[in-house]
Amino acid sequence: MAEVEEKASSTSERLREEYRRHVQSQISHDLVDTISMLEQHQVELLQLCDQLKQAKKQVTDSASDTKATINAVFEEFIAAVNETVNDRRQKLLGEVQQMEDEALGPLDQCERILESRVREAAERLEQGKRLEKHGGVMAKDTVMRFQEEAGAMTNLPEVPVLCAVPCISVEFPTDPTLIEEVREVIEQAGNVSRMGPVQITNIVERPGALLVTWEEVDEDVSDDGLEFCLQCSNTGATDPHTALFHTKYRGPDYSFLLRDLKSGESYLLRVASRREGSRSFGPWSLTQSAVTTIPHFRWQEDGCSGWSMADEGRLATKVTSDLEVLHSKGALITPGTSVLFKVVSGGVGCSDEGLGLCCRPVTGPEQLLLPGTLFLSAQGCVFLDGVSRVTRLPAIQEGSQVSFAVEKVSSTKVRVYIESQDKQVTYEWAVPDVQEGLYFVATFGEPKWRISVH
């Protein structure tokens, strides 16, 4: 009986110990989870602190830049106004002086004649008084000569009447006054806003490119007559204040595909808008930094003896007279992408030469007129799965730009937009699998042809 009790006691003690260790282990595990949660929470708080710092920096930096712009504009305005006002004042004063000089010239001459005549009359009058005083002893001929000379002085010189001489004056606007007009213009100068009226809303990576989309953030503003300007910085720029921006697009569209970008390099983007008739664009949007990690389109270099490559595989130059098909380096065309062919140089193309898309590589130009291909001949004919379509596009020649844009319709069908020289056609094309992608191709014979792909 004692052994049973001792065994039961030992079992109970062991169970209590196991329970204690289990509880301790659970507490330790819970403590580790809590610490991990707190560490993650701390990381998120620090990220929020950094985000808050960036937000405050954006406010203070933009406010500082805007204040500097306001001061610079008004300092320039004040200097220009002062210069213009002084120039205008001097011009008006010069006109007054010229009128005064032109008017006073004849009057001064008339004044000199009058003064001379007055002196002469005074002398004659004095002479007459002397003759009168000695009249008893004066000779008759002396008196007669004096009378003749005095009689000759009775005609008066001509002096202009007041209405015949200038009365110089100046006229300034009175309703409204010049000061009121200037004040009204100044009061309307400038418009401070919390945010630029147009903002970049989406940036999507494309092969060697970025698809940039923007929109007006002010819903009360009509988009009629709006023109947008998209600018892109130099490669690797990080500071909007020192970056060198180049205009890449001007027009009414709300998106643009920035091509020929270096993969892995960062770019700064900004957009602005203006109304029809405005001379300058409004405030810039927030500057966005973007990068494309997708390599640019390029031609397949291996196995193409009739073509030579340049510009990192973008530019293909025909070097032989053999009609050879040139493929892209892989099935690079997927839904949502587009390829642009630029004919740098070329001759007169034949019906079996041209550009196109195919579901799989082809071994010869004759296979471009079989199912699984969409081919635009150099003469402008379109062949879909080998069947000629009714619509013709402009012939492919030197300077031509031809684009193929692909969008998904279903898992086995795509819609392709072909544009050449501002003329566009659209086809729906059944393909084995939309996600597998398409090859872009070119086939030409003469060595004159140089085709770049973007």
Side-chain angles (χ1 to χ4, degrees):
M1 187 66 180
E3 291 181 0
V4 174
E5 292 178 354
E6 183 180 353
K7 187 176 181 180
S9 176
S10 175
T11 301
S12 176
E13 183 64 28
R14 181 173 56 79
L15 291 175
R16 283 197 299 270
E17 181 61 25
E18 289 179 357
Y19 177 74
R20 186 186 64 80
R21 285 198 301 267
H22 173 73
V23 171
Q24 187 65 36
S25 175
Q26 186 64 41
I27 292 174
S28 298
H29 185 270
D30 292 344
L31 182 60
V32 170
D33 288 346
T34 302
I35 292 174
S36 177
M37 180 193 68
L38 289 174
E39 288 175 343
Q40 179 63 29
H41 183 64
Q42 184 184 40
V43 170
E44 293 175 352
L45 287 174
L46 291 175
Q47 290 175 346
L48 290 175
C49 288
D50 184 60
Q51 182 178 336
L52 180 59
K53 288 180 182 178
Q54 293 179 4
K56 292 180 66 176
K57 186 175 185 300
Q58 176 174 302
V59 172
T60 55
D61 287 355
S62 62
S64 178
D65 292 344
T66 302
K67 290 175 184 177
T69 300
I70 291 173
N71 287 329
V73 168
F74 276 94
E75 288 296 334
E76 183 179 359
F77 177 79
I78 291 172
V81 168
N82 284 336
E83 181 181 1
T84 304
V85 168
N86 287 330
D87 289 347
R88 184 58 179 169
R89 176 169 60 184
Q90 294 303 319
K91 185 176 187 302
L92 292 177
L93 291 175
E95 292 178 2
V96 172
Q97 188 63 49
Q98 182 179 357
M99 291 180 184
E100 182 181 8
D101 293 342
E102 291 175 352
L104 288 178
L107 296 178
D108 289 340
Q109 184 178 3
C110 183
E111 183 180 31
R112 289 191 294 272
I113 294 174
L114 277 176
E115 290 176 348
S116 175
R117 297 289 294 274
V118 168
R119 287 194 301 272
E120 185 180 358
E123 292 174 357
R124 290 288 180 266
L125 180 60
E126 183 65 25
Q127 182 182 5
K129 289 181 178 180
R130 287 198 302 270
L131 290 176
E132 183 182 16
K133 185 176 180 181
H134 303 89
V137 296
M138 292 289 290
K140 183 178 180 181
D141 57 345
T142 300
V143 174
M144 291 180 63
R145 187 169 59 253
F146 169 76
Q147 289 176 336
E148 288 178 0
E149 293 175 352
M153 294 178 60
T154 56
N155 61 318
L156 297 173
E158 184 177 352
V159 175
V161 295
L162 294 182
C163 62
V165 297
C167 180
I168 304 172
S169 63
V170 66
E171 180 183 3
F172 289 102
T174 58
D175 187 23
T177 65
L178 182 61
I179 294 177
E180 289 173 342
E181 288 185 344
V182 173
R183 182 179 288 115
E184 182 178 356
V185 172
I186 295 174
E187 288 175 349
Q188 294 177 356
N191 182 26
V192 178
S193 57
R194 292 173 57 88
M195 192 76 69
V198 58
Q199 295 293 325
I200 296 174
T201 56
N202 195 27
I203 303 175
V204 180
E205 293 185 47
R206 291 288 186 259
L210 291 168
L211 178 61
V212 186
T213 305
W214 55 85
E215 65 180 27
E216 286 281 326
V217 296
D218 190 350
E219 297 180 354
D220 296 331
V221 176
S222 171
D223 58 358
D224 293 338
L226 275 180
E227 182 184 16
F228 300 101
C229 175
L230 175 67
Q231 290 192 339
C232 177
S233 75
N234 51 310
T235 304
T238 57
D239 185 359
H241 297 88
T242 59
L244 181 61
F245 285 92
H246 303 277
T247 298
K248 297 297 184 179
Y249 171 76
R250 280 189 180 182
D253 295 336
Y254 283 78
S255 64
F256 183 75
L257 183 63
L258 280 171
R259 301 179 186 270
D260 300 331
L261 303 181
K262 293 184 178 181
S263 177
E265 296 284 354
S266 63
Y267 294 86
L268 297 180
L269 308 173
R270 64 184 187 183
V271 66
S273 62
R274 69 179 176 186
R275 288 284 170 194
E276 186 178 358
S278 298
R279 296 170 57 184
S280 60
F281 286 92
W284 292 106
S285 66
L286 293 176
T287 302
Q288 302 276 5
S289 177
V291 60
T292 178
T293 57
I294 307 175
H296 60 260
F297 288 151
R298 60 188 306 158
W299 297 105
Q300 175 65 48
E301 300 184 44
D302 298 334
C304 295
S305 59
W307 296 83
S308 67
M309 307 302 160
D311 190 21
E312 299 181 334
R314 292 189 185 94
L315 178 63
T317 301
K318 196 70 171 60
V319 294
T320 68
S321 297
D322 299 328
L323 193 60
E324 184 178 6
V325 179
L326 181 64
H327 295 83
S328 58
K329 190 173 183 177
L332 304 179
I333 306 299
T334 56
T337 62
S338 64
V339 59
L340 174 66
F341 299 96
K342 293 183 180 180
V343 182
V344 180
S345 62
V348 178
C350 301
S351 60
D352 56 352
E353 297 177 309
L355 306 165
L357 303 176
C358 59
C359 297
R360 60 188 63 84
V362 297
T363 57
E366 68 281 355
Q367 295 183 1
L368 292 175
L369 298 180
L370 296 177
T373 61
L374 177 57
F375 183 65
L376 172 63
S377 74
Q379 296 178 345
C381 298
V382 181
F383 296 87
L384 180 61
D385 290 329
V387 179
S388 178
R389 314 301 292 187
V390 176
T391 305
R392 293 175 65 98
L393 292 174
I396 299 175
Q397 56 190 355
E398 184 172 326
S400 294
Q401 294 191 18
V402 181
S403 67
F404 289 75
V406 179
E407 66 179 31
K408 180 179 178 180
V409 177
S410 67
S411 61
T412 57
K413 183 179 290 187
V414 294
R415 182 176 293 112
V416 182
Y417 302 88
I418 307 176
E419 184 174 354
S420 177
Q421 310 300 96
D422 296 327
K423 187 173 182 180
Q424 186 183 83
V425 292
T426 306
Y427 301 105
E428 289 195 355
W429 183 22
V431 296
D433 188 345
V434 169
Q435 301 305 322
E436 288 184 358
L438 303 168
Y439 293 82
F440 55 81
V441 295
T443 178
F444 292 95
E446 292 184 280
K448 297 179 180 180
W449 293 93
R450 299 173 67 212
I451 312 295
S452 66
V453 62
H454 307 266

